[in-house]
Amino acid sequence: MDTTTSHAGALAGIKVLDLSRVLAGPWCTQTLADLGADVIKVERPGNGDDTRQWGPPFLQDAEGRDTDQAAYFACCNRNKRSVTVDMATPDGAALLRRIAAGCDVVVENFKVGGLQAYGLDYASLQALNPRLVYCSITGFGQDGPYAKRAGYDLMIQAMSGMMSVTGRADDEPGGGPMRVGVALTDVFTGMYASTAILAALRARDSTGRGQHIDMALLDVGMAILANQTAGYLNTGSVPRRQGNTHPSVVPYQDFPTADGAMLLAIGNDGQFARFAAACGRPEWAADARYATASARVRNRDVLIPAMQEVTRTRTTADWIALLEDRAVPCGPINDIAEAFADPQVRARGLAVSLPRDAGDGIDRIAGVASPLRLSDHPPVLRRAPPALGQHTDEVLAEWGFDAAERARLREAGAI
């Protein structure tokens, strides 16, 4: 991860007009920004992106005191420049059309048809800029009976079936539907959207024309169920919640230890045989009930309690030391603080801190490094998440709005 500007990112020269807010769209545009694109984030004057108010927790100033700026916003808006524009005013809409005419990409997550009144929909902007790649992110897509509905991650986790396979089994204490601990469909939609944008830019290299990308949270929520949907579609068997266990792999779950718990992820017969030998039960690997993956699945109700008796005899650290040397996948169950303290996380430089000089008392903002590791064009962390409207004058000056015109737009309430 390069935290300097010593080289250009892979997307240097690509200009992105970001009309999105909350998580899925901003996650997409932050990915593009990390790779070198110039992302202009458009926010409402006065309020900005909804997530600026989604606290606590709040960002802290240089003295360690809470500010009125939520930390949520910081997770997906670094490397962008914030411009405040009221698109509901004729001047604001015209300003954005002028910028879009010179951009490579527009990303928006308004309701279907919501930007047409401002001349900021795909058809209007494509007429001005045929090379434009325009990505729309909605809950349910541009067509179908639910197209006009608003979509939120929690709703999609429920509708897609994700909550039906997440959480403890119904017949266990605490059983019932459970959401994933982060807005997973939002994040995955952002990642799929960035991939689609890169594909559209590559196609533009050949055709000279941009295109419209229709991203839906529901589509993504269904797609990322992966093996669970494949199993249902090919067998008709409906998957159910089963806690931390796996429907097709055993043992693949948490186990109690002398001082807490650990995670075992034994994915093949060789790993199981090495585990059995290491824990003093070599006979398990030769037992027909446990010798193969499918046999272990069929006999998990006998095998797992027997393993739990054994795992309680050592501490988590002792098990990890014993099993890692034998190439048996295992590990601690960390909280987030413990995860950031892990030596591998530290070695990979996954915690980053970027300076910000916006005159609001916040001098640095921390975040997680981009996981995209390109040997020749790694992500460059150029800017901390911006203050609201921090770059309005800078950006508009670059796009030919002189001081007098900017003053007029401010007077009119357009910026």
Side-chain angles (χ1 to χ4, degrees), residues 53 70 79 134 324:
Q53 287 79 48
N79 277 340
Y134 188 107
E324 280 189 332

Side-chain angles (χ1 to χ4, degrees), residues 96-181:
L96 293 175
R97 289 194 297 272
R98 179 168 159 183
I99 293 177
C103 281
D104 300 282
V105 178
V106 167
V107 178
E108 59 92 6
N109 62 352
F110 284 75
K111 292 181 181 179
V112 173
L115 291 176
Q116 190 170 2
Y118 312 118
L120 295 170
D121 57 302
Y122 173 65
S124 299
L125 295 184
Q126 193 269 342
L128 296 174
N129 179 3
R131 291 175 56 81
L132 185 66
V133 172
Y134 188 107
C135 180
S136 297
I137 299 174
T138 58
F140 299 98
Q142 298 294 303
D143 53 20
Y146 300 162
K148 296 290 187 180
R149 292 185 184 180
Y152 293 89
D153 177 88
L154 181 61
M155 182 189 305
I156 301 303
Q157 288 198 34
M159 291 182 66
S160 66
M162 185 177 295
M163 289 175 66
S164 77
V165 294
T166 304
R168 294 188 178 276
D170 288 342
D171 59 356
E172 294 182 8
M178 184 70 64
R179 73 174 181 90
V180 180

Side-chain angles (χ1 to χ4, degrees), residues 41-103:
K41 181 177 179 68
V42 177
E43 302 188 69
R44 295 170 297 172
N47 296 314
D49 190 309
D50 301 37
T51 59
R52 287 187 182 274
Q53 287 79 48
W54 282 13
F58 293 97
L59 296 176
Q60 295 182 330
D61 63 19
E63 304 301 322
R65 298 168 299 201
D66 280 354
T67 67
D68 61 355
Q69 301 181 52
Y72 196 119
F73 177 86
C75 81
C76 54
N77 286 291
R78 69 169 170 241
N79 277 340
K80 304 176 187 180
R81 296 192 287 173
S82 173
V83 174
T84 48
V85 179
D86 184 355
M87 68 175 64
T89 66
D91 281 339
L95 181 160
L96 293 175
R97 289 194 297 272
R98 179 168 159 183
I99 293 177
C103 281

Side-chain angles (χ1 to χ4, degrees), residues 102-405:
C103 281
D104 300 282
V105 178
V106 167
V107 178
E108 59 92 6
N109 62 352
F110 284 75
K111 292 181 181 179
V112 173
L115 291 176
Q116 190 170 2
Y118 312 118
L120 295 170
D121 57 302
Y122 173 65
S124 299
L125 295 184
Q126 193 269 342
L128 296 174
N129 179 3
R131 291 175 56 81
L132 185 66
V133 172
Y134 188 107
C135 180
S136 297
I137 299 174
T138 58
F140 299 98
Q142 298 294 303
D143 53 20
Y146 300 162
K148 296 290 187 180
R149 292 185 184 180
Y152 293 89
D153 177 88
L154 181 61
M155 182 189 305
I156 301 303
Q157 288 198 34
M159 291 182 66
S160 66
M162 185 177 295
M163 289 175 66
S164 77
V165 294
T166 304
R168 294 188 178 276
D170 288 342
D171 59 356
E172 294 182 8
M178 184 70 64
R179 73 174 181 90
V180 180
V182 296
L184 197 66
T185 55
D186 273 337
V187 170
F188 267 94
T189 300
M191 291 307 301
Y192 272 109
S194 62
T195 301
I197 288 167
L198 295 178
L201 289 172
R202 177 65 184 90
R204 191 184 71 174
D205 291 342
S206 301
T207 67
R209 294 186 63 81
Q211 58 186 288
H212 189 204
I213 298 167
D214 173 10
M215 295 297 310
L217 268 67
L218 181 63
D219 297 357
V220 172
M222 301 288 289
I224 62 175
L225 289 174
N227 59 299
Q228 300 282 26
T229 47
Y232 166 71
L233 291 172
N234 288 284
T235 69
S237 177
V238 179
R240 300 298 181 192
R241 284 179 291 277
Q242 54 185 82
N244 290 331
T245 64
H246 195 286
S248 307
V249 183
V250 174
Y252 196 92
Q253 64 183 82
D254 58 309
F255 284 89
T257 64
D259 61 349
M262 69 170 175
L263 202 290
L264 283 174
I266 294 177
N268 59 52
D269 298 340
Q271 291 172 354
F272 181 73
R274 293 195 295 275
F275 168 79
C279 74
R281 299 293 192 277
E283 67 275 10
W284 285 350
D287 191 319
R289 296 174 298 171
Y290 315 138
T292 66
S294 59
R296 290 193 294 277
V297 172
R298 289 193 302 270
N299 294 286
R300 73 166 79 220
D301 290 345
V302 179
L303 174 61
I304 297 304
M307 289 181 61
Q308 290 171 336
E309 287 186 14
V310 174
T311 59
R312 288 190 178 95
T313 63
R314 287 185 170 94
T315 66
T316 298
D318 286 343
W319 277 116
I320 292 172
L322 175 68
L323 297 177
E324 280 189 332
D325 286 345
R326 290 164 174 79
V328 176
C330 65
I333 302 173
N334 290 331
D335 62 26
I336 292 176
E338 290 167 335
F340 275 110
D342 185 278
Q344 181 66 17
V345 172
R346 289 178 175 271
R348 295 287 286 178
L350 293 177
V352 297
S353 179
L354 294 172
R356 186 170 88 176
D357 183 14
D360 58 0
I362 299 173
D363 58 358
R364 302 195 72 85
I365 299 179
V368 182
S370 170
L372 303 174
R373 306 288 174 121
L374 286 71
S375 61
D376 292 344
H377 296 87
V380 181
L381 303 188
R382 306 180 303 281
R383 299 184 182 92
L388 179 61
Q390 181 178 346
H391 305 98
T392 300
D393 282 297
E394 173 185 304
V395 169
L396 294 188
E398 291 176 5
W399 286 85
F401 295 83
D402 62 23
E405 191 169 9

